[in-house]
Amino acid sequence: MEQRFETRAVAAGRPEEVGAPLNAPLVPASNFVLGGETAYSRDDGTPTWAGLEAVVGALEDADAVAFASGMAAIAAVLDQLAVGSRIVWPDDCYQGVAGLIAEGEQLGRWTSVRLPVEDTAAWCDAVGSADLVWLESPSNPLLSVADVREILAASRPDGGLVAIDNTLAGPLGQQPLDLGVDVAVQSATKHLGGHSDLLSGVVTTRRTDLAADLRRHRELHGATPGALEAYLATRGVRTYPLRAAAAARSAAELAQRLAAHPRVERVRYPGLPSHPTHDVATRHLTSFGSVISFDVEGGADHADEVCRRLRLIRHATSFGAVESTIERRAAVPGQEHLPPGLLRLSVGIEHVEDLWTDLDGAL
Ligand SMILES: *Cc1c(COP(=O)(O)O)cnc(C)c1O
């Protein structure tokens, strides 16, 4: 019988030979004695990268290609496009991706259309002529969930690529390759690493041609994983299912309490029936995740004050780590269009009552 997700996270990507170390070793090598399968790590990889790719691939029953960061993985996918391609992409997405697509458009590499995540009808109209459908779902930071199945049904049967940035849900929260997308990317800096101590990115796909093209891109462009980072990311994956499940339980509880709090104007969490894409979320996600966005009464000043008053929850960017963090997103360059008082809370694995005491006190 096929192993379950939690088991694969622990068991995959380990050396098999008698006498081998249990964990894929940390190998900081650039070159190897010639005559074997590996000569130079940028071309051929290392046992450390292979361990990370094996376990992340096992989580999605796919081929995984590891990169130096989430952005390196995303850039490698965008670089698959021929000059003059057309991209359809979401209005709410990671600011780095927005910068990269805008820059490519300015350079004349492609044209693009940006659509609201929730407007499935507009996506279905637009994707028929797209060379790349770029999804980010749930989106960051408004946590809108795209109707990936509907959009896929309207997309080109061949010739076009459908890609998703699955960083926010992670493979525990959404299995995009099962939904039918060609390629999923994630920043392993977030949930998979889980300890705010590395940068890493992984692309997963079941198309062997695409996996080979992405490996070749990594070889030629050189955005290779660091040895220590790949080792730490692999170690992070071992506990990822446990961490993510615990954090999501706490997030669901905190989202409800925040929604009832007199100083909170609005909570955006896909697990709450009040979220505009709650229905789509229940049909696509296997976990509503550990990120909550909420608007505090009083706008930017009050939101900044809340960040200053919190003691346990750290004032820091990013998400998916063991420690809870919070950030006012409109203060981030490129995100000025967001509601000024919107805070993005990444729930960690501390005790939920300690997190609530901190939040309630600061509010
Ligand atoms: C963090 C993040 C990225 C970029 O990943 P890095 O590892 O920082 O390069 C891309 N997409 C989303 C949704 C992210 O949260």
Side-chain angles (χ1 to χ4, degrees), residues 182-268:
D182 297 298
V183 55
V185 300
Q186 62 180 315
S187 166
T189 309
K190 315 289 166 62
H191 296 293
L192 297 187
H195 295 74
S196 308
D197 56 5
L198 63 90
L199 286 169
S200 174
V202 186
V203 184
T204 45
T205 180
R206 291 177 187 157
R207 279 181 46 183
T208 44
D209 59 327
L210 206 51
D213 289 345
L214 289 163
R215 285 217 160 76
R216 186 174 153 76
H217 185 282
R218 180 177 66 187
E219 179 181 333
L220 297 180
H221 292 247
T224 52
L228 180 61
E229 286 79 357
Y231 184 85
L232 288 173
T234 305
R235 184 179 165 123
V237 173
R238 303 298 183 207
T239 56
Y240 160 62
L242 286 178
R243 289 186 282 102
R249 268 197 306 278
S250 295
E253 178 63 30
L254 294 176
Q256 280 192 6
R257 293 191 195 181
L258 285 168
H261 200 285
R263 298 249 184 267
V264 173
E265 280 178 352
R266 175 170 185 185
V267 177
R268 301 164 207 257

Side-chain angles (χ1 to χ4, degrees), residues 76-81 86-88 127 130-135 152 155-156 158-164 181-183 205 207 209-210 214:
V77 173
L78 289 174
D79 279 350
Q80 302 304 306
L81 294 176
R86 182 165 177 271
I87 305 175
V88 180
V127 296
D131 299 293
L132 173 67
V133 179
W134 182 267
L135 298 159
L152 275 167
S155 66
R156 285 164 62 178
D158 54 48
L161 199 62
V162 180
I164 187 166
V181 309
D182 297 298
V183 55
T205 180
R207 279 181 46 183
D209 59 327
L210 206 51
L214 289 163

Side-chain angles (χ1 to χ4, degrees), residues 246-247 250-251 254 257-258 310 312-314 322-325 345-362:
S250 295
L254 294 176
R257 293 191 195 181
L258 285 168
L310 287 164
L312 175 62
I313 299 170
R314 308 305 302 274
V322 289
E323 69 279 3
S324 298
T325 56
L345 169 66
S346 170
V347 179
I349 61 170
E350 303 92 340
H351 197 287
V352 65
E353 296 302 340
D354 292 328
L355 293 173
W356 180 247
T357 302
D358 202 28
L359 272 174
D360 188 37

Side-chain angles (χ1 to χ4, degrees), residues 261-331:
H261 200 285
R263 298 249 184 267
V264 173
E265 280 178 352
R266 175 170 185 185
V267 177
R268 301 164 207 257
Y269 181 68
L272 290 181
S274 60
H275 193 281
T277 63
H278 174 66
D279 277 353
V280 184
T282 56
R283 283 185 275 119
H284 286 77
L285 305 183
T286 41
S287 164
F288 294 122
S290 53
V291 178
I292 305 168
S293 291
F294 62 101
D295 302 2
V296 296
E297 184 191 87
D301 289 348
H302 279 202
D304 286 336
E305 180 65 19
V306 168
C307 293
R308 272 194 295 277
R309 286 187 186 191
L310 287 164
R311 286 287 161 265
L312 175 62
I313 299 170
R314 308 305 302 274
H315 186 203
T317 192
S318 199
F319 57 85
V322 289
E323 69 279 3
S324 298
T325 56
I326 197 163
E327 178 182 36
R328 189 170 74 78
R329 285 303 288 181

